[in-house]
Amino acid sequence: MTTATLLLRAWDFDPSVIAGCVLLIALYFWRTKPSRLQAASFLCGIAVLFLALESPIDTLGDTYLFSAHMLQHLLLILIVPPLLLWGVTGRDAERLLRIPIANRIERALGKPFVAWLTGILVMVVWHWPVLYNFALAHEAAHIFQHLTFLISGTIFWWPVLSPVSQKRMAVMPAIFYLFAAAAANTILGIIITFMPIGYYPAYVHPADEIGALSLVRNTWGVSAQIDQRLGGLLMWVPGCSVYFIGILLELAQWYSATDQAEAEGKGELETGAILLPQKGTQ
């Protein structure tokens, strides 16, 4: 098998995933009027979700490469939820929160401390080898794992990217929130990178279901040791980069708001100076 063959043939096209993506798109455009930028963000989120679950990333991650599985998890936790939240209009989010049960859930899980703890704990617990290996060996548990990544990722990002402005954190607390998440992500990435090989045994001696093992080990040169190190580094470096990008966006928003406030204040002073009578005139 060649790399090109793998990239062309190792697609799942699971009907349930396709139906889920189509349903999300249909619900999104039903009775809502997003801007072009919002619609593009939401559709990009759905596209990344589809690629994470149906492309060769999923095939490699399920059988051959821990690093591919880690990439899949990062997409579900750090990329899909922000893109979907950016795509939701404030009006639609407010309409949803008028539903009593949705409002109660948001009040319980939308608090920054609860949201942070939920997002980080779900990520850490599922990478504990016992649970990770169990999910890899049982399809139902694997599906549940992916769902919890998506849900907990959305909960985590809600206080920072909520479409309802009153629900979003102020800039400095949001920066601390994201920095603390980056620190936790770094610790987990370091542990995985330097832990002994063998805690994820399915990738040490993978079942060669589609005949790609020779390609992975010989052509690509990815041994079990390199694979685990690469997976840890993906969690450590690109994973933390997403949080730091969020911090930079918060800082940019803060500077923009400060400049706007200064400009408005200057305009009010100039207007007041024009309206004041000049000295010596009655």
Side-chain angles (χ1 to χ4, degrees):
M1 177 178 287
T2 65
T3 301
T5 303
L6 175 68
L7 295 177
L8 288 173
R9 295 182 181 177
W11 291 75
D12 288 336
F13 297 112
D14 186 339
S16 63
V17 174
I18 296 173
C21 290
V22 171
L23 180 60
L24 284 173
I25 294 172
L27 289 173
Y28 178 73
F29 286 104
W30 180 58
R31 295 179 59 189
T32 185
K33 295 181 179 179
S35 67
R36 291 183 179 179
L37 186 59
Q38 287 173 320
S41 178
F42 191 88
L43 292 175
C44 283
I46 297 296
V48 174
L49 175 63
F50 181 82
L51 289 173
L53 297 177
E54 298 296 283
S55 75
I57 294 173
D58 181 67
T59 302
L60 289 169
D62 283 354
T63 307
Y64 297 97
L65 291 174
F66 173 79
S67 54
H69 209 177
M70 185 64 74
L71 174 61
Q72 182 187 55
H73 291 176
L74 292 177
L75 292 175
L76 295 177
I77 297 169
L78 299 179
I79 304 300
V80 174
L83 288 174
L84 296 182
L85 285 174
W86 273 325
V88 177
T89 68
R91 180 179 300 177
D92 290 328
E94 289 173 352
R95 185 186 301 127
L96 177 63
L97 292 178
R98 293 192 192 105
I99 301 172
I101 188 171
N103 185 265
R104 287 196 293 270
I105 292 173
E106 193 281 329
R107 285 180 178 274
L109 299 178
K111 296 180 176 63
F113 177 75
V114 176
W116 189 94
L117 202 60
T118 300
I120 298 303
L121 278 180
V122 168
M123 180 174 61
V124 170
V125 167
W126 273 121
H127 288 92
W128 184 35
V130 172
L131 289 179
Y132 186 100
N133 294 327
F134 180 83
L136 204 61
H138 299 83
E139 184 62 20
H142 203 178
I143 293 171
F144 178 71
Q145 180 192 57
H146 289 169
L147 287 174
T148 57
F149 281 150
L150 287 169
I151 294 170
S152 64
T154 303
I155 292 170
F156 172 88
W157 288 104
W158 176 265
V160 180
L161 302 176
S162 173
V164 182
S165 59
Q166 296 89 339
K167 302 293 184 180
R168 289 197 296 267
M169 301 170 67
V171 172
M172 293 312 296
I175 290 174
F176 178 78
Y177 182 94
L178 293 171
F179 184 82
N185 202 76
T186 297
I187 293 171
L188 179 59
I190 290 173
I191 291 173
I192 293 174
T193 300
F194 295 107
M195 69 192 301
I197 302 300
Y199 281 95
Y200 304 108
Y203 299 108
V204 178
H205 303 289
D208 195 8
E209 296 180 357
I210 62 172
L213 185 59
S214 178
L215 173 70
V216 171
R217 292 286 190 257
N218 300 324
T219 305
W220 294 354
V222 181
S223 65
Q225 184 175 17
I226 292 173
D227 180 37
Q228 184 173 309
R229 300 288 183 263
L230 181 58
L233 287 171
L234 282 172
M235 172 70 74
W236 184 357
V237 182
C240 287
S241 297
V242 174
Y243 296 118
F244 284 117
I245 289 172
I247 290 173
L248 291 176
L249 291 176
E250 288 291 326
L251 287 172
Q253 181 181 357
W254 179 70
Y255 279 118
S256 176
T258 302
D259 291 343
Q260 183 178 357
E262 290 178 352
E264 290 175 354
K266 184 178 180 181
E268 290 175 359
L269 287 174
E270 292 175 350
T271 303
I274 293 173
L275 294 176
L276 286 173
Q278 299 297 315
K279 184 177 180 180
T281 62
Q282 300 293 331

